[in-house]
Amino acid sequence: MMQLSQLIVFGIVQGLTYALLASSFWIIYSTTRTFHLAHSLTYAIAGYAAYLTSEQLGLSLWLGFAASLICAALFGCAIEALLYRQLRRRSSTVLGIFLSSLGIAAAGAALLQIIFGPMVKRVPGFPNATLSYGEISVTTLQLTGALAAFVAIGAVTILLTRTSVGNAVTAVRTNPKLAMAVGIRVERISLLVFAIGSAMAGLAAYVETIAFVAYPTMGLQPVMFGVIGVFLGGAGSIKGAALGGFVLGFLLVFSGLFLSQNLGVILVFTVLLIIIVFRPEGLIRSPVGE
C-alpha cells in the first residue's frame, strides 16, 4: 500500500506536467490548426534561457523563470509571424506547414548544440528539500512544479471561458472566417495563442531544467507525450487535453511497475491507437467550439 501511495503521488506530479504540455499544444493546434512540432524547440530554448540567466549571468532563479517564459513566448510568436503566417498566405498545404515545423525543430536543436556544445547545462540553487508523510515522500521542486502546472492550466481555462479575449479565441477556433467577418483580428489571436502556449511550455521546461539539466533535444519526448495527451483526452476542449496528459502521466508511472521504460512507451501508443479507433473524439466528448 505504501508503494501504491507513492506511485499515486508520482503519478499526480507527472500527470500535471503532461497536462500542462498537452494544454500548451492544444491551444495552438485547436486555434490555428498548426501541428506545431517546433514546440519542442521552444521548450529547449526556454531551458537554455534559464541557464543563461541564472547560471551564466548569475541572476536569481526568479529572473531565470521570467526569462524562460518570455523567451519561449517570443520564440513562439516569431515562428507564427515569420514562418507559419507566410506559408498560410501562400496557400501552403497542411503537410507543407507540418514539414516546415519539423525542419525548424531539427535545425534548431542542431543549432543549439553548435552554440552551447554537446554537454548538458545545469542550473543549481533551488532549495529542493524532501517532504515526507510516513513512507510517502515528495520533493519541494516536484510539489512546486505540480502546483505551478495546476495554476497555469486553471488560469488559461478561466481566460478562455470567462473573458472577452477567450470568447475571441473560441470564435477563431470555431469559425475563423466568421470571426474575421465580425471584426476579430484573427492574426492577432493566432499570435496570442502562440504566446500563451509557448509560455506554458516554457514553464514546464524551466522546472525540468532546474530539476535536471538543459540539452538541445530536451523537448522532444515531453512535447511528444503532450501531443499524445491532446488526442487521448480529446482535442475539443482544454479540459480534454489536460485530462489526456494527466492520464498519460499516470499510465507511464504505473507501467513502470510491470514494464521497462521502452515497453511503457509502447503501451502508451497502444492505448492511443485503441482510443483513436474506438473513441476518436477522445476521453471527453465535446464540441470543438467549447
Side-chain angles (χ1 to χ4, degrees):
M1 289 300 297
M2 285 300 154
Q3 184 182 25
L4 178 61
S5 300
Q6 184 67 68
L7 284 174
I8 290 174
V9 171
F10 286 159
I12 292 173
V13 171
Q14 190 83 324
L16 284 170
T17 299
Y18 288 139
L20 176 65
L21 286 167
S23 300
S24 74
F25 185 86
W26 172 84
I27 193 173
I28 293 172
Y29 171 76
S30 66
T31 307
T32 67
R33 294 300 171 190
T34 302
F35 208 88
H36 181 45
L37 287 185
H39 209 42
S40 62
L41 181 58
T42 302
Y43 190 99
I45 286 174
Y48 278 102
Y51 165 74
L52 287 174
T53 303
S54 298
E55 182 65 15
Q56 290 295 300
L57 298 180
L59 302 177
S60 69
L61 292 176
W62 281 109
L63 289 176
F65 171 71
S68 289
L69 269 61
I70 292 171
C71 288
L74 290 176
F75 180 74
C77 289
I79 289 290
E80 160 62 14
L82 302 178
L83 179 62
Y84 298 146
R85 182 180 297 176
Q86 306 308 318
L87 290 173
R88 293 191 205 100
R89 287 176 177 174
R90 289 165 174 76
S91 301
S92 178
T93 63
V94 173
L95 178 60
I97 295 176
F98 170 79
L99 291 176
S100 68
S101 179
L102 181 62
I104 289 293
L111 183 60
L112 286 176
Q113 182 164 336
I114 291 173
I115 295 173
F116 295 100
M119 302 299 293
V120 299
K121 306 301 181 183
R122 300 181 183 276
V123 182
F126 189 89
N128 195 20
T130 300
L131 307 176
S132 298
Y133 180 78
E135 298 295 326
I136 303 172
S137 62
V138 63
T139 67
T140 53
L141 182 54
Q142 289 174 325
L143 187 60
T144 301
L147 289 174
F150 181 80
V151 170
I153 295 170
V156 172
T157 301
I158 292 172
L159 174 70
L160 294 178
T161 57
R162 300 186 182 180
T163 67
S164 58
V165 172
N167 292 335
V169 172
T170 300
V172 173
R173 185 168 71 247
T174 306
N175 192 327
K177 291 183 179 180
L178 182 60
M180 188 180 298
V182 298
I184 296 175
R185 301 290 295 273
V186 174
E187 291 187 343
R188 287 187 180 180
I189 295 298
S190 296
L191 278 179
L192 174 66
V193 297
F194 265 88
I196 294 172
S198 299
M200 294 171 77
L203 171 59
Y206 177 77
V207 173
E208 180 180 344
T209 300
I210 60 176
F212 302 106
V213 293
Y215 54 98
T217 58
M218 63 184 292
L220 288 179
Q221 180 171 306
V223 169
M224 179 187 70
F225 286 150
V227 173
I228 293 172
V230 171
F231 297 100
L232 178 64
S237 69
I238 191 172
K239 292 183 293 185
L243 175 64
F246 191 78
V247 170
L248 180 62
F250 257 94
L251 188 61
L252 287 169
V253 168
F254 277 87
S255 67
L257 275 175
F258 316 102
L259 304 171
S260 67
Q261 182 178 6
N262 290 334
L263 290 177
V265 173
I266 293 174
L267 175 63
V268 166
F269 279 99
T270 302
V271 171
L272 177 65
L273 179 61
I274 293 172
I275 291 293
I276 289 175
V277 171
F278 294 102
R279 194 179 176 88
E281 69 275 13
L283 296 175
I284 291 185
R285 186 175 296 170
S286 57
V288 174
E290 181 177 321

